[in-house]
Amino acid sequence: MVENVSAATMDDHAAAASRKRLPLSWLGVVPFFAFALLFLIWPTLDLMIGAFQTPTGEFTLQNIANLNQDSIISAYKISIQVSVASAVLGAVFGFFLAHAAVMGNLPGWMRPTLTTFSGVASNFAGVPLAFAFIATLGRTGLVTTLLYSFFGINLYSTGFNILSFWGLTITYLYFQIPLMVLILMPALDGLKKEWREAAAILGATKVQFWTHVAFPVLWPSLLGATMLLFANAFGAIATAYALTGSSLNIVPILLYAQIRGDVLHDPNLGYALALGMIVITALSNITYIWLRARSDRWLR
Amino acid sequence: MAFLDISSVRKVYGQNVVVQDFNLAVERGEFVSFLGPSGCGKTTTLRMVAGFEQPTAGTIRIGGKDVTYLPPNQRNIGMVFQAYALFPNMTVADNIGFGLKVAKKPAAEIGPRVKEMLELIKLPHLADRYPYQLSGGQQQRVALARAIANKPQVLLLDEPLSALDAKIRVSLREEIRTLQKALGITTIFVTHDQEEALSMSDRIVVMSEGRMEQVGDPFDIYNYPKTRFVAGFVGTLNTLKARVLDPGAGKLSIDGQEAVTSRPLNGSPADSIRTVALRPEAVALGERVNGGNGLSGTIEEVGFLGSVVRIKVRLGENAISLDTFNSSSVTPPKRGDTVSIAFTRDDLLVLEDNDAH
Amino acid sequence: MKSERFGPWLAMVLGTLYFVVPLIATFEFSLRKRRGVYSFDAYASVFSDSRFIESFGYSTFIALLTIVVGVLLVVPTAYVIRLRMPRMRPIVEFITLLPLVIPAIVIVFGYLRLYNSSSFLPLTGTARSTDLLLVFAYVVLAMPYMYRAVDTGLRAIDVKTLTEAAESLGASWWTILFKVILPNVRVAVLSGAFLTFAIVIGEFTIASLLNRPAFGPYLQLVGANSAYEPSALAVIAFVVTWACMGLIQLFGSGIRGSSAAPR
Ligand SMILES: Nc1ncnc2c1ncn2[C@@H]1O[C@H](COP(=O)(O)OP(=O)(O)OP(=O)(O)O)[C@@H](O)[C@H]1O
Ligand SMILES: [Mg+2]
């Protein structure tokens, strides 16, 4: 707040003192806006418009209607399922890890170690991650073989498959959990020790402290982080593609195949697919903003 | 037996003895202050009473019940923290009602009680505000209301006023004291501000380095400090080195001049050195009045403190500061003047010489 | 007291298992190439593959370009926003967060539609211009991280005082930015740079769809065609990521140290 006020007065002051500096300020941001427009906003908008056009450029709703095919519907369904599962599980496990590191009274070296490792793991996505999980839970992976030789459990006869929904979810968790940890640790730091003590001395149990104070305070960050995780998983393709080739039917892989021209030679259907992805990630964010605005009354 | 009884409590962190030999019996309805410099263990002691820390040794009883190892949420204690610690996600009313709510009191009981508390702290119009919309003083009053809403057996306040500015501090401390008296609630108040402690308390515990230096009512603590530490910490006392001439008659020599104290010298042999003390306001410029003491020295410093003029008189090895009222009809002495000073036998205090720490 | 610590320990132990076992498994797998004994054959085969060197070199080059373009774009913007246009801040922050919401595959699909060889700006027309487009795409991907790192760095130093001091000495806008501000946020820029590197080096989707010979598509290709080399590559990729993050930590502790000192 204070920062904003001083910056604002400074802004006025600068404007009054030297008008000539104003164009220079614009010069500093114009490249940024131009770049964002050319390489982020316009291409996206253009796709969204394309979803409502025929190849010759006339308006149509046919592309959207064409999404109503079993393979596409099921791709959206699986994509949403994997993203929700990996976001929610990532949020839950990430919360427990971050909570343990911040408030668990653990030895001092553990927290920085977790932070560093989370930085690495949250960026260890894509193709190599798929390789790692094939080596772990694939048919000849280490865990699969060890489970069989030590406990006689044949993982693959239980119906598990690394190329399946759960396989993909477990793999995604490898970058989802650390991302959650990184986002939540500062939020947990923001929970003041005095709140916990004030609650305790007022007779609240631990559970009551969490339900009445800690979760309501953390709720916006938790929710925001979960939405971010959702978008993160929903748009991810490299891991799934390297893991399953095009055998797992999720939207980004479908779109990828579509762009490569492997499947349907109808680019406008591709635009509709992309529009669907944008709508879903945008919806998740709007939900977040809406929920947050409701819980935000007490925030500055 | 006292209502709150702290006996032989000791707290050690690693190698560090933070509180030791702490014995205190607080009566029901009493207002006791812990006064001492930073790091002397006030907060630690208070937190042991609250249950946030456990004593390394000793016991704490409330109303006859041993609570030494009872968790905080089962002690029925109210506490006000230095940094307010209001729950940011709750309105003022919800904050005040929190203790009742977690105790599963019916809403029909919580509502009126919260209202009553809001009246008590004179903020009924702020019931629906969030903490960030309140000033520091208002927040602290809400914290106070929250602490007493559930009728705790004991109220603990850890430097509740130190984050506020001077004016609000004075008015709020009067409010706290009035409230405490009206409710008859047993209270421990931690502060490092001697004025706060002196003006509010029934009794004061002066602490230093984890030890109790002296326990007494404000009058005693101020006028009759037992140790040099207390004398120095509470007020601005002159401490002087004196040689005992006649222990029985209370005769001493201060830089070769004779003075008599009516305080016992506790069997100090003749010729031994004792520390004696004089309050600046107990010393006057001028000749001795009968039965009193008189010394002479030279003025070393004259300082105006507004309504008061503080004069430092050098006797020899010792110096005495004294306060006189500033008045336009009296011209204060100048540096280098030779003056006489006078004080009564009662005002010449003899301190315990445990200056080891 | 003791029992309270059981939960945190359990969380840590389970977490460690989940995160460490795949690494061990990958490493173990990468050693299995020679039948019956552990060997580094898979690594030897990876390193002797000229496409490995070429694609890794290509991606490194692209990553460096991305960093340069990203810094040139983000630093002046963050600086001007912080100093002169605080009212624009929400808009700029919104834009920098968009790439977290819009999937990369959508963005690159947009490029293919907008910048195809018959468009007004045929960036996909030649290999060199496609390289440029790839760099721009990566700048977009890295923008949320780069902007946040730089903005945090600017907050840590007192931009206003530094600028006014420099102005009072008659320094030009250009001088202020490059001789005064940039050196002071060097550390923040470096952490943004390493993060960018970690993101870009193995990126698959965009490079593959733009048909560039980058490391990500190469990895995918190897994965589809051989058994043990992928594990070796995963280990190598993990080490590279780890090195980037390690460098961030190293410089990051530098930030904390230097900003804590004056206080
Ligand atoms: N958890 C702890 N571990 C180790 N030492 C501690 C701990 N808590 C307090 N101490 C030490 O105990 C001593 C007393 O601390 P305490 O907080 O009781 O002081 P205080 O009298 O309240 O001081 P202040 O007026 O500054 O609040 C200090 O030296 C402090 O460093
Ligand atoms: Mg304290």
Side-chain angles (χ1 to χ4, degrees):
Chain A
M1 277 285 102
V2 172
E3 194 178 79
N4 273 349
V5 169
S6 69
T9 49
M10 199 171 63
D11 198 33
D12 297 342
H13 163 80
S18 57
R19 292 246 154 247
K20 70 173 195 295
R21 219 181 277 133
L22 211 59
L24 280 175
S25 303
W26 280 105
L27 214 64
V29 290
V30 159
F32 173 82
F33 283 115
F35 179 86
L37 189 69
L38 274 178
F39 297 104
L40 176 61
I41 296 166
W42 193 5
T44 311
L45 284 181
D46 194 48
L47 268 195
M48 295 169 78
I49 294 166
F52 295 100
Q53 286 177 337
T54 63
T56 51
E58 282 116 48
F59 174 82
T60 179
L61 288 175
Q62 193 55 45
N63 302 319
I64 311 292
N66 285 347
L67 288 179
N68 192 12
Q69 306 171 14
D70 286 349
S71 67
I72 294 181
I73 302 271
S74 88
Y76 273 107
K77 233 159 123 186
I78 297 177
S79 264
I80 290 175
Q81 283 168 350
V82 169
S83 307
V84 168
S86 76
V88 170
L89 292 176
V92 171
F93 294 133
F95 173 80
F96 281 121
L97 270 183
H99 177 264
V102 174
M103 308 176 171
N105 266 320
L106 296 172
W109 56 267
M110 279 197 166
R111 183 176 170 166
T113 311
L114 182 70
T115 312
T116 311
F117 183 82
S118 298
V120 177
S122 64
N123 285 296
F124 185 62
V127 181
L129 180 63
F131 295 165
F133 271 82
I134 290 172
T136 311
L137 289 169
R139 279 184 192 279
T140 54
L142 187 65
V143 170
T144 316
T145 17
L146 287 184
L147 276 180
Y148 187 69
S149 50
F150 281 93
F151 303 103
I153 303 171
N154 185 345
L155 204 56
Y156 275 72
S157 71
T158 64
F160 176 83
N161 190 326
I162 189 70
L163 312 180
S164 69
F165 168 79
W166 279 111
L168 194 59
T169 303
I170 291 176
T171 309
Y172 277 10
L173 283 177
Y174 202 87
F175 58 81
Q176 298 281 57
I177 295 174
L179 187 57
M180 194 69 186
V181 168
L182 287 180
I183 301 174
L184 269 191
M185 279 211 282
L188 285 171
D189 279 330
L191 280 185
K192 294 203 184 104
K193 183 180 117 212
E194 284 93 346
W195 295 340
R196 174 189 302 272
E197 292 181 348
I201 203 83
L202 288 165
T205 60
K206 253 191 178 156
V207 173
Q208 283 172 322
F209 166 70
W210 277 97
T211 54
H212 287 92
V213 183
F215 273 127
V217 169
L218 287 177
W219 153 253
S221 349
L222 256 171
L223 201 66
T226 310
M227 292 300 166
L228 193 67
L229 261 55
F230 174 85
N232 199 25
F234 194 75
I237 162 166
T239 311
Y241 191 69
L243 205 55
T244 69
S246 26
S247 71
L248 190 69
N249 186 27
I250 59 174
V251 182
I253 289 187
L254 202 62
L255 183 57
Y256 182 82
Q258 174 68 32
I259 299 172
R260 296 297 298 251
D262 303 355
V263 192
L264 314 156
H265 291 279
D266 179 2
N268 293 70
L269 180 60
Y271 304 150
L273 269 177
L275 177 70
M277 291 185 80
I278 297 171
V279 166
I280 285 169
T281 50
L283 269 184
S284 79
N285 277 277
I286 291 166
T287 317
Y288 161 64
I289 291 168
W290 179 69
L291 286 172
R292 180 166 176 161
R294 288 172 34 135
S295 73
D296 245 10
R297 284 163 301 164
W298 49 269
L299 284 175
R300 252 161 290 181
Chain B
M1 193 181 197
F3 184 64
L4 167 62
D5 188 63
I6 305 172
S7 66
S8 314
V9 160
R10 176 182 174 84
K11 180 71 186 175
V12 181
Y13 285 119
Q15 303 282 317
N16 204 356
V17 183
V18 176
V19 176
Q20 53 184 317
D21 303 328
F22 202 96
N23 286 290
L24 182 70
V26 183
E27 296 305 326
R28 192 184 285 272
E30 200 179 8
F31 190 115
V32 176
S33 290
F34 292 176
L35 175 66
S38 188
C40 70
K42 309 179 294 284
T43 299
T44 306
T45 310
L46 200 74
R47 290 171 60 82
M48 289 192 283
V49 176
F52 296 131
E53 309 283 347
Q54 286 174 353
T56 312
T59 51
I60 298 171
R61 284 193 189 79
I62 298 177
K65 185 178 167 209
D66 186 341
V67 299
T68 317
Y69 299 105
L70 207 62
N73 58 1
Q74 291 168 26
R75 291 191 182 198
N76 192 17
I77 282 176
M79 184 155 174
V80 176
F81 298 82
Q82 182 174 353
Y84 322 136
L86 294 178
F87 305 128
N89 57 320
M90 296 181 201
T91 61
V92 165
D94 290 343
N95 263 287
I96 296 176
F98 182 82
L100 298 155
K101 190 166 177 193
V102 297
K104 308 232 160 64
K105 293 272 162 60
E109 188 181 327
I110 299 178
R113 180 70 181 159
V114 167
K115 212 159 173 203
E116 187 188 339
M117 286 296 117
L118 282 166
E119 303 284 347
L120 213 57
I121 56 167
K122 304 189 188 77
L123 297 174
H125 54 294
L126 298 183
D128 295 323
R129 294 253 189 115
Y130 285 92
Y132 78 94
Q133 296 168 309
L134 304 180
S135 73
Q138 290 168 336
Q139 289 193 49
Q140 201 54 300
R141 278 196 242 161
V142 174
L144 181 66
R146 179 178 72 176
I148 58 181
N150 214 359
K151 303 191 176 137
Q153 311 187 71
V154 177
L155 177 63
L156 307 175
L157 304 110
D158 190 359
E159 308 202 21
L161 306 177
S162 59
L164 305 172
D165 67 52
K167 262 215 182 101
I168 298 172
R169 209 184 298 186
V170 172
S171 73
L172 200 51
R173 90 183 170 211
E174 280 158 13
E175 258 180 69
I176 291 177
R177 179 57 163 154
T178 315
L179 245 166
Q180 183 269 339
K181 268 189 180 151
L183 301 173
I185 186 167
T186 313
T187 302
I188 299 181
F189 182 94
V190 164
T191 178
H192 56 237
D193 180 336
Q194 48 133 335
E195 203 182 299
E196 247 167 54
L198 291 170
S199 65
M200 297 173 80
S201 320
D202 293 319
R203 264 195 308 161
I204 296 174
V205 178
V206 183
M207 295 179 66
S208 159
E209 299 184 14
R211 248 183 282 260
M212 308 169 77
E213 284 283 331
Q214 188 173 352
V215 183
D217 63 34
F219 185 84
D220 272 348
I221 295 281
Y222 188 78
N223 290 304
Y224 308 117
K226 276 211 200 112
T227 65
R228 190 167 174 165
F229 175 83
V230 178
F233 193 75
V234 184
T236 45
L237 207 75
N238 293 300
T239 52
L240 313 168
K241 289 274 171 231
R243 194 157 55 80
V244 178
L245 297 178
D246 181 349
K251 265 193 200 159
L252 300 155
S253 158
I254 300 169
D255 288 326
Q257 305 186 54
E258 202 177 291
V260 184
T261 174
S262 57
R263 314 245 152 224
L265 280 166
N266 287 15
S268 308
D271 266 359
S272 61
I273 304 292
R274 291 298 302 259
T275 307
V276 295
L278 269 172
R279 298 226 154 265
E281 62 270 28
V283 186
L285 280 179
E287 295 305 320
R288 104 175 59 190
V289 283
N290 52 351
N293 289 304
L295 301 173
S296 77
T298 43
I299 306 270
E300 191 171 271
E301 255 175 58
V302 179
F304 287 95
L305 307 175
S307 60
V308 170
V309 183
R310 175 157 294 176
I311 297 165
K312 190 170 178 188
V313 179
R314 170 69 52 191
L315 302 176
E317 195 191 323
N318 294 299
I320 294 177
S321 288
L322 61 97
D323 290 347
T324 61
F325 281 107
N326 183 14
S327 138
S328 52
S329 59
V330 181
T331 41
K334 289 182 292 295
R335 271 194 69 172
D337 288 359
T338 302
V339 289
S340 297
I341 55 173
F343 48 90
T344 67
R345 293 179 174 198
D346 271 356
D347 283 327
L348 188 58
L349 309 174
V350 180
L351 303 179
E352 288 169 10
D353 270 334
N354 53 350
D355 287 349
H357 56 277
Chain C
M1 280 276 128
K2 290 271 153 56
S3 69
E4 268 175 36
R5 293 178 51 170
F6 175 73
W9 276 108
L10 185 72
M12 281 295 176
V13 169
L14 290 181
T16 309
L17 273 179
Y18 174 71
F19 285 107
V20 172
V21 165
L23 300 180
I24 296 172
T26 312
F27 186 60
E28 195 264 352
F29 206 82
S30 73
L31 301 179
R32 286 197 214 165
K33 190 173 168 74
R34 196 180 297 172
R35 286 231 166 267
V37 279
Y38 284 147
S39 70
F40 285 98
D41 286 5
Y43 293 87
S45 131
V46 163
F47 283 119
S48 64
D49 184 350
S50 67
R51 284 173 309 163
F52 168 80
I53 314 285
E54 280 158 21
S55 62
F56 195 84
Y58 176 82
S59 282
T60 306
F61 176 68
I62 293 290
L64 293 179
L65 271 183
T66 303
I67 290 166
V68 171
V69 175
V71 168
L72 288 181
L73 201 63
V74 161
V75 173
T77 308
Y79 168 73
V80 168
I81 292 297
R82 199 155 257 290
L83 196 64
R84 306 237 187 267
M85 300 177 164
R87 264 158 291 202
M88 301 285 280
R89 167 182 291 277
I91 302 172
V92 171
E93 279 185 352
F94 176 75
I95 292 175
T96 59
L97 289 177
L98 274 182
L100 295 180
V101 179
I102 304 174
I105 190 169
V106 170
I107 295 174
V108 71
F109 195 14
Y111 289 1
L112 290 175
R113 175 173 153 93
L114 199 58
Y115 301 122
N116 61 49
S117 44
S118 58
S119 72
F120 73 105
L121 191 64
L123 280 174
T124 52
T126 69
R128 285 293 79 78
S129 61
T130 313
D131 289 343
L132 199 63
L133 194 58
L134 185 62
V135 168
F136 289 161
Y138 286 166
V139 170
V140 169
L141 278 198
M143 205 152 67
Y145 309 99
M146 198 49 139
Y147 189 86
R148 259 225 344 235
V150 171
D151 196 49
T152 312
L154 284 175
R155 193 167 49 204
I157 63 169
D158 190 351
V159 185
K160 184 187 156 204
T161 314
L162 271 182
T163 304
E164 281 172 359
E167 269 172 356
S168 72
L169 295 171
S172 70
W173 194 85
W174 182 260
T175 317
I176 293 171
L177 193 56
F178 285 89
K179 297 251 168 75
V180 181
I181 301 299
L182 202 53
N184 275 293
V185 293
R186 195 182 56 226
V187 175
V189 168
L190 273 176
S191 19
F194 289 124
L195 198 56
T196 305
F197 191 86
I199 293 168
V200 166
I201 191 71
E203 202 282 334
F204 166 74
T205 319
I206 300 176
S208 153
L209 288 174
L210 289 179
N211 248 325
R212 300 315 299 143
F215 192 49
Y218 167 75
L219 286 175
Q220 200 276 328
L221 196 73
V222 173
N225 297 310
S226 39
Y228 302 103
E229 283 77 4
S231 298
L233 283 168
V235 170
I236 294 167
F238 189 80
V239 169
V240 171
T241 315
W242 187 267
C244 288
M245 294 301 135
L247 288 169
I248 292 177
Q249 289 284 311
L250 208 67
F251 286 101
S253 59
I255 299 188
R256 259 168 263 133
S258 65
S259 66
R263 261 167 229 162

